[in-house]
Amino acid sequence: MSILVVGSVALDSVETPFGKRERVLGGSATYFATSASFFTDVNLVAVVGEDFPQEHVDFLRSRDIDLTGLSRVPGETFHWKGYYGYDLNEAQTLETHLNVFQHFKPRIPPQYADAEYLILANIDPELQLEVLKQVKRPKLVACDTMNFWISSKPEALKEVISRVDIFIINESEARQLSGEVNLVRAARAILAMGVKNLVVKRGEYGVLMFNGSSLFAAPAYPLEEVFDPTGAGDTFAGGFMGYLANIGDTSEEAIRQAIIFGSVMASFNVEAFSLDRLRTLTYPDIEARYRDFKRMTHFEEVGGL
Ligand code: AMP
């Protein structure tokens, strides 16, 4: 089954301890769509400006991403500038220029209105609400956000998260949104906002999933070289939702397995700047790392309890 993604398509300027890139391809919807495209068909809704290089459009097309919903309008593309210190777990936002997103009203093409899998990637929560109004009855809706929107539009964001099945958020953002320092308490407070499943991304420490009745913990794949964490969260979400849409199953067991596929995709993405690693990635690479992941987390009981 196909996925509908709405989010940012951006030009990013990023600095990490290992290098610097100016105005490279980025954006929450870009990372999400590219990652999900390894598993299923993806339909993308976003806006770019006149400065958005055609080669990036060609790249997205080369991944078979349907771009009917990508509009190009007068003005500049969304631009994010970020910095990572040696703690690669958290980006410092230096600049956010909404540019063409400032006046963007997402219009979901009629052929996407029946989407069964919908991801509201990181973007203005008011736009996320607009999208929810235009789709009929998706089987699964997930959403992501970031500190920028938690600070600037908390009410709209709370409205969005009360209406989705899966809410994906960073550890520090879970603390910020809930006002709780302890992560388990933070998760409980967010579940009380009406969230059914909460996925908390913890960078190099992996992912925790909470719902009303259970907890699932996955480590991150241990890597020797991490160049650029930008997009790890969106790439995770792309692998996660892409896998769920591929198997057409939304059971808790499927969600747990999807968390591993999401983690595998994020582990590749951080190995190079921008989307460069995803450009050369193949499905057999994904399968091999998935098997490694399974071996890495498996244990047998050899003694009694
Ligand atoms: P992450 O997966 O959290 O590392 O997401 C990184 C991507 O989010 C970058 O490529 C940015 O272009 C994009 N981004 C940063 N700030 C925002 C924002 N306020 N709204 C939407 N997208 C953003």
Side-chain angles (χ1 to χ4, degrees):
M1 262 168 262
S2 63
I3 300 186
L4 173 59
V5 53
V6 183
S8 57
V9 170
L11 294 175
D12 287 347
S13 296
V14 179
E15 184 172 353
T16 81
F18 313 104
K20 204 174 163 172
R21 297 289 185 280
E22 291 286 332
R23 300 182 78 79
V24 289
L25 179 60
S28 59
T30 312
Y31 282 104
F32 179 93
T34 306
S35 174
S37 71
F38 284 88
F39 300 90
T40 195
D41 294 335
V42 183
N43 305 314
L44 183 148
V45 172
V47 64
V48 293
E50 288 151 325
D51 57 348
F52 192 68
Q54 182 61 31
E55 57 173 310
H56 297 335
V57 176
D58 295 342
F59 165 67
L60 293 170
R61 229 174 242 135
S62 77
R63 295 289 329 152
D64 278 337
I65 297 165
D66 186 317
L67 301 178
T68 313
L70 179 68
S71 40
R72 190 190 280 274
V73 299
E76 282 183 61
T77 302
F78 178 95
H79 179 226
W80 177 75
K81 187 168 181 181
Y83 167 82
Y84 297 83
Y86 279 98
D87 176 4
L88 292 166
N89 283 319
E90 207 169 332
Q92 313 292 323
T93 292
L94 302 175
E95 293 171 29
T96 301
H97 301 277
L98 295 175
N99 296 337
V100 290
F101 266 101
Q102 217 153 1
H103 302 292
F104 178 58
K105 285 270 169 284
R107 201 163 309 124
I108 305 301
Q111 65 269 36
Y112 297 169
D114 290 322
E116 295 214 70
Y117 289 79
L118 169 66
I119 171 92
L120 305 168
N122 177 25
I123 197 176
D124 185 337
E126 284 172 8
L127 299 186
Q128 294 178 321
L129 285 173
E130 287 287 325
V131 173
L132 282 175
K133 278 191 217 149
Q134 293 175 51
V135 290
K136 290 191 184 132
R137 194 185 258 272
K139 185 168 167 182
L140 193 78
V141 183
C143 111
D144 194 350
T145 194
M146 74 180 291
N147 48 12
F148 186 87
W149 303 116
I150 298 172
S151 316
S152 59
K153 305 234 173 137
E155 293 316 316
L157 179 62
K158 283 182 188 162
E159 171 75 28
V160 175
I161 65 180
S162 70
R163 293 169 58 177
V164 304
D165 303 296
I166 302 181
F167 182 38
I168 304 171
I169 189 173
N170 281 350
E171 179 173 11
S172 62
E173 291 156 2
R175 294 197 169 98
Q176 181 189 359
L177 179 63
S178 63
E180 293 280 359
V181 176
N182 177 281
L183 201 54
V184 179
R185 279 171 178 268
R188 198 176 297 137
I190 295 171
L191 289 176
M193 295 174 191
V195 174
K196 294 182 204 111
N197 293 284
L198 173 67
V199 175
V200 181
K201 298 168 287 182
R202 306 182 61 227
E204 64 180 310
Y205 307 113
V207 169
L208 287 174
M209 185 191 58
F210 301 85
N211 59 31
S213 51
S214 70
L215 169 70
F216 179 64
Y221 189 80
L223 290 170
E224 226 170 287
E225 289 190 328
V226 176
F227 278 97
D228 176 15
T230 310
D234 307 306
T235 311
F236 167 85
F240 173 77
M241 285 286 279
Y243 180 72
L244 288 176
N246 176 295
I247 61 169
D249 182 346
T250 54
S251 66
E252 180 163 339
E253 285 316 310
I255 289 177
R256 288 180 177 219
Q257 195 176 355
I259 284 178
I260 304 303
F261 274 103
S263 304
V264 165
M265 295 307 289
S267 76
F268 283 115
N269 184 60
V270 300
E271 289 176 349
F273 276 92
S274 181
L275 285 94
D276 290 354
R277 183 63 182 94
L278 301 185
R279 290 174 194 270
T280 56
L281 190 66
T282 64
Y283 199 75
D285 296 333
I286 298 170
E287 285 175 318
R289 191 165 286 182
Y290 173 79
R291 277 189 229 102
D292 274 357
F293 217 104
K294 203 161 173 221
R295 272 192 295 275
M296 183 183 90
T297 49
H298 182 84
F299 72 92
E300 296 281 352
E301 280 181 31
V302 290
L305 294 173

